[in-house]
């Protein structure tokens, strides 16, 4: 059992430290470009994933979650445009959505 834990710890540490050993002289342009592109791509992917449920439910009459989700996204966008702070917009948007869902459903 201890041998398995040691092997798992060694493999985990190796995957964490291997990029530093491989790219110790210079980081290739491909990796630098990925570092510039991936954050915005991940944000877009998370946005689409979180919006997929309420976009589907907008057409149904019995489900108000679609409209509440759309209102929450608009509110979050407005907060972000006013304050230009990601954390504040995420926290305010989440609180607004929770209050909206709990009080109107």
């Amino acid at each position: 059992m201890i041998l398995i834990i040691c092997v798992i710890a060694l493999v985990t540490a190796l995957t964490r430290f291997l990029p530093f050993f491989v790219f110790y002289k210079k980081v290739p342009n491909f990796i630098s470009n990925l570092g510039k592109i991936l954050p915005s791509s991940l944000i877009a992917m998370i946005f689409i994933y979180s919006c997929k449920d309420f976009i589907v439910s907008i057409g149904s009459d019995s489900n108000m979650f679609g409209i509440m989700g759309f209102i929450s996204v608009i509110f979050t966008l407005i907060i972000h445009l006013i304050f230009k702070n990601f954390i504040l917009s995420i926290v305010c948007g989440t609180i607004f959505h929770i209050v909206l869902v709990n009080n109107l459903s």
Side-chain angles (χ1 to χ4, degrees):
M1 186 68 165
I2 293 192
L3 180 63
I4 293 173
I5 293 173
C6 289
V7 168
I8 291 172
L10 181 66
V11 170
T12 302
L14 185 66
T15 59
R16 302 284 190 239
F17 298 129
L18 190 63
F20 295 106
F21 293 132
V22 172
F23 302 123
Y24 69 95
K25 288 187 179 176
K26 183 181 183 306
V27 177
N29 290 335
F30 176 73
I31 302 297
S32 296
N33 290 339
L34 279 178
K36 294 174 187 172
I37 294 170
L38 279 180
S40 57
S41 302
L42 289 174
I43 289 172
M45 185 173 54
I46 290 170
F47 175 76
I48 290 170
Y49 179 77
S50 61
C51 291
K52 70 176 174 53
D53 292 332
F54 74 77
I55 288 173
V56 170
S57 67
I58 284 177
S60 67
D61 295 332
S62 62
N63 194 352
M64 287 293 293
F65 289 113
I67 296 167
M68 288 187 276
F70 185 71
I71 293 170
S72 299
V73 167
I74 297 297
F75 177 79
T76 305
L77 182 64
I78 291 170
I79 291 294
H80 183 69
L81 290 175
I82 292 171
F83 296 107
K84 307 272 191 232
N85 187 339
F86 284 110
I87 301 214
L88 181 67
S89 10
I90 290 170
V91 168
C92 288
T94 303
I95 291 171
F96 181 78
H97 182 70
I98 290 171
V99 168
L100 197 65
V101 168
N102 287 332
N103 290 332
L104 294 179
S105 58

